[in-house]
Amino acid sequence: MRCFVLISQTALASGAFSLEDLPASSGRLDLLLRALRAALLVSHGLRRSVLVYLVLRGGAGGSRVLRVDGRSAKFLRPDERSLAILVQKTLQSGTVLSKDFQEVRPGLALCEGDLEEVLAELAGLPCYLLDEHGSDVRAEALAVEDAVFFIGDQLGFEEATRARLLALGCRTISVGPLSLHSEDVVTLLNNELDRRFGPEACPAASPPPGP
Amino acid sequence: MRCFVLISQTALASGAFSLEDLPASSGRLDLLLRALRAALLVSHGLRRSVLVYLVLRGGAGGSRVLRVDGRSAKFLRPDERSLAILVQKTLQSGTVLSKDFQEVRPGLALCEGDLEEVLAELAGLPCYLLDEHGSDVRAEALAVEDAVFFIGDQLGFEEATRARLLALGCRTISVGPLSLHSEDVVTLLNNELDRRFGPEACPAASPPPGP
C-alpha cells in the first residue's frame, strides 16, 4: 500500500466544525480534506491501493487519527463539502473509541491516538518525510511500492514529531522548488509513484465516485 | 505568463448555483474552482505570473469566460466554498458584459464569449492540449515560460474544440499514466514549469492569502 500520513497540529479531532466556515471553524481541516481527495481520487475512479491517515491534534479533547482505506472506502466525492460532511459524521458517530482503529463507516476507521498509533501499523515500511529542503523525489530510488509519506500542515512539523520520524530513519524528500499546499504534495507523490510503478500498482475501481 | 485555460461544457455561466450543493447545482464548477486553487495558490502565497481562464459553457444564457490574473488578484482563499462565493459574486455582479474582458473584481474579469475570446488574447503563444494519450510533458522541450495549457473537464474536450486547438498547432501532452482530475493536471504542470524555470519565474507574493 501507498500510505500518506497527514499530521495537523490544528485540525479539530472532535468534528465540531461548521460547514459554512470550514477553514476557521475546523482548525484548517479543509487542507486535509483536499489532501484526502488528492490521495484517493482519480478521474472517475478511486485508488484502491492507497491508505491515508489524518492525525488530528486540534481541540481540547485529545488527538485522534482517522484512517481512510482505499480498498474499502465508499461514497468519497471530490468536492470539499461532501468530504467534510463524511468526515464530520465519522468523527461524531458516537462510537466508543480506543487506541485501536475501529471502522466507523466503510473504509473509515478512527482511534484515540496520535502518531504512535500510526507508526504501530506501518512498522518496517520505508518512510519519507516531506520537507522543502529534502532531496528531490525524482532522484530518490523509491525502490518499492509500499512506502509511507509523512506530510505536515500549514505550520510544518512540530519539532518533536520531526525528531521522532528522523529517528525512525525517514528520509527527507521534496517535490519541487516551491513550498506547496499539502494536497499538491500528495498529487506530485502519487504521480511520481504512478510513473515508477505503473497505474496497475494503483488501479482505479468501479463504481466511480464521480469525476 | 503561464496560462491555464479550463474549458467546461457544463459549468453554469450564470452563477446561479447553491453553495450547499455545488457539484450538482453548478454543472461541476467545483472542479474548476479546485483547478483555480492549484493554478494560483502556493503555501502562504499567490503565483503572480499565472493567468487562468475558465470557459463556462453550461446553462441556457450563453457561454462566458472568467479570467483570473495572478498579477492583480486579491482575496483568493484555498478552500472551495470561499472560491465559490468569490466566483458567484463576480458572475452575478450585474456588470453589463461584452465580448471584451471587463474587470469586475480585483484581478477577476468577465466577458460574454467562449474559446475565441480567449484565443484572441493569447495569439502567438506556444500552446498545449492536455490529453492522456499525448506525449509526456517531462519529455517536452517547453522552451519558454510563456505558454498556454488547455484542459478539458470531466467529459474531456468537445470534438469541435479539440479540432480548433489542434488546427492552431497545439501539441498534445500528458502528465502521467492515469486519467486525473483537472486540478491534479494543473498541479503537475506547475511543478514541471517550476522545475524548468525556477521559482523565480513564478514568485509568490505578499500578503499571503493563507496557507
Side-chain angles (χ1 to χ4, degrees):
Chain A
M1 296 288 277
R2 193 183 292 181
C3 306
F4 297 103
V5 183
L6 291 120
I7 304 174
S8 172
Q9 302 179 40
T10 58
L12 281 193
S14 65
F17 54 79
S18 162
L19 295 170
E20 273 64 58
D21 188 7
L22 200 55
S25 70
S26 72
R28 297 310 311 275
L29 182 72
D30 60 308
L31 191 150
L32 300 189
L33 296 173
R34 293 194 296 275
L36 192 59
R37 182 211 60 77
L40 282 160
L41 297 180
V42 293
S43 187
H44 305 285
L46 196 149
R47 292 175 180 272
R48 291 296 180 197
S49 347
V50 167
L51 200 55
V52 182
Y53 294 84
L54 305 183
V55 180
L56 310 172
R57 290 179 166 172
S63 60
R64 297 202 278 179
V65 183
L66 174 63
R67 185 185 69 199
V68 186
D69 189 332
R71 288 169 297 194
S72 49
K74 289 179 181 172
F75 315 122
L76 292 186
R77 304 279 163 200
D79 67 294
E80 207 168 300
R81 186 181 170 93
S82 296
L83 289 172
I85 291 171
L86 181 65
V87 167
Q88 189 171 53
K89 284 181 178 169
T90 305
L91 292 172
Q92 299 195 324
S93 73
T95 306
V96 178
L97 298 175
S98 69
K99 290 280 187 188
D100 298 318
F101 281 96
Q102 285 185 71
E103 192 169 56
V104 177
R105 296 181 153 252
L108 278 75
L110 262 181
C111 80
E112 279 187 342
D114 204 295
L115 181 60
E116 293 307 319
E117 281 64 37
V118 178
L119 296 178
E121 292 216 333
L122 304 176
L125 292 181
C127 59
Y128 301 89
L129 183 155
L130 272 291
D131 183 301
E132 54 195 284
H133 304 296
S135 59
D136 188 353
V137 66
R138 291 195 187 178
E140 281 290 314
L142 298 178
V144 288
E145 164 68 9
D146 286 335
V148 189
F149 299 91
F150 294 94
I151 301 171
D153 63 4
Q154 72 282 5
L155 307 170
F157 288 103
E158 284 172 295
E159 204 38 61
T161 298
R162 177 184 295 274
R164 176 77 174 105
L165 294 173
L166 292 176
L168 276 179
C170 286
R171 281 186 62 78
T172 57
I173 58 171
S174 79
V175 290
L178 282 178
S179 181
L180 301 175
H181 290 172
S182 301
E183 67 204 274
D184 293 326
V185 173
V186 170
T187 294
L188 292 163
L189 289 171
N190 259 335
N191 180 253
E192 187 63 29
L193 292 163
D194 291 342
R195 286 170 170 274
R196 302 271 184 106
F197 302 102
E200 299 74 20
C202 220
S206 61
Chain B
M1 297 286 278
R2 191 182 294 182
C3 305
F4 297 102
V5 182
L6 291 120
I7 304 174
S8 173
Q9 303 179 40
T10 58
L12 282 192
S14 65
F17 55 78
S18 161
L19 296 170
E20 274 64 57
D21 188 6
L22 200 55
S25 70
S26 72
R28 298 309 311 276
L29 182 72
D30 61 307
L31 191 151
L32 300 189
L33 296 173
R34 293 194 297 274
L36 193 60
R37 182 212 59 77
L40 282 159
L41 297 180
V42 293
S43 187
H44 305 285
L46 196 149
R47 291 176 182 271
R48 290 296 179 197
S49 348
V50 167
L51 199 57
V52 182
Y53 294 84
L54 305 183
V55 180
L56 311 173
R57 291 178 166 172
S63 60
R64 297 203 278 181
V65 183
L66 174 64
R67 186 185 68 197
V68 186
D69 189 331
R71 288 169 295 195
S72 49
K74 290 180 180 172
F75 315 122
L76 291 185
R77 304 279 163 201
D79 66 296
E80 209 167 299
R81 186 182 168 92
S82 297
L83 288 172
I85 291 171
L86 181 65
V87 167
Q88 189 170 53
K89 284 182 178 169
T90 305
L91 292 172
Q92 300 195 323
S93 72
T95 306
V96 179
L97 297 177
S98 68
K99 291 280 187 189
D100 298 318
F101 281 97
Q102 285 185 70
E103 191 168 58
V104 176
R105 296 181 153 252
L108 278 75
L110 261 182
C111 80
E112 278 187 343
D114 204 293
L115 182 59
E116 294 307 320
E117 281 63 39
V118 178
L119 295 178
E121 292 216 332
L122 304 176
L125 292 181
C127 59
Y128 301 89
L129 183 154
L130 272 290
D131 183 301
E132 54 194 285
H133 304 296
S135 59
D136 188 354
V137 65
R138 290 196 189 178
E140 282 289 315
L142 298 177
V144 289
E145 164 68 12
D146 285 335
V148 189
F149 300 91
F150 294 95
I151 302 171
D153 64 3
Q154 73 282 4
L155 306 171
F157 288 102
E158 284 173 295
E159 205 38 62
T161 299
R162 177 185 296 274
R164 176 76 174 105
L165 294 174
L166 292 177
L168 275 179
C170 287
R171 281 186 62 77
T172 56
I173 58 170
S174 80
V175 291
L178 282 179
S179 180
L180 301 175
H181 291 172
S182 302
E183 65 203 278
D184 292 327
V185 173
V186 170
T187 294
L188 292 164
L189 289 171
N190 259 335
N191 181 253
E192 188 62 29
L193 293 163
D194 292 341
R195 286 169 171 273
R196 302 271 183 106
F197 302 103
E200 299 74 20
C202 220
S206 61

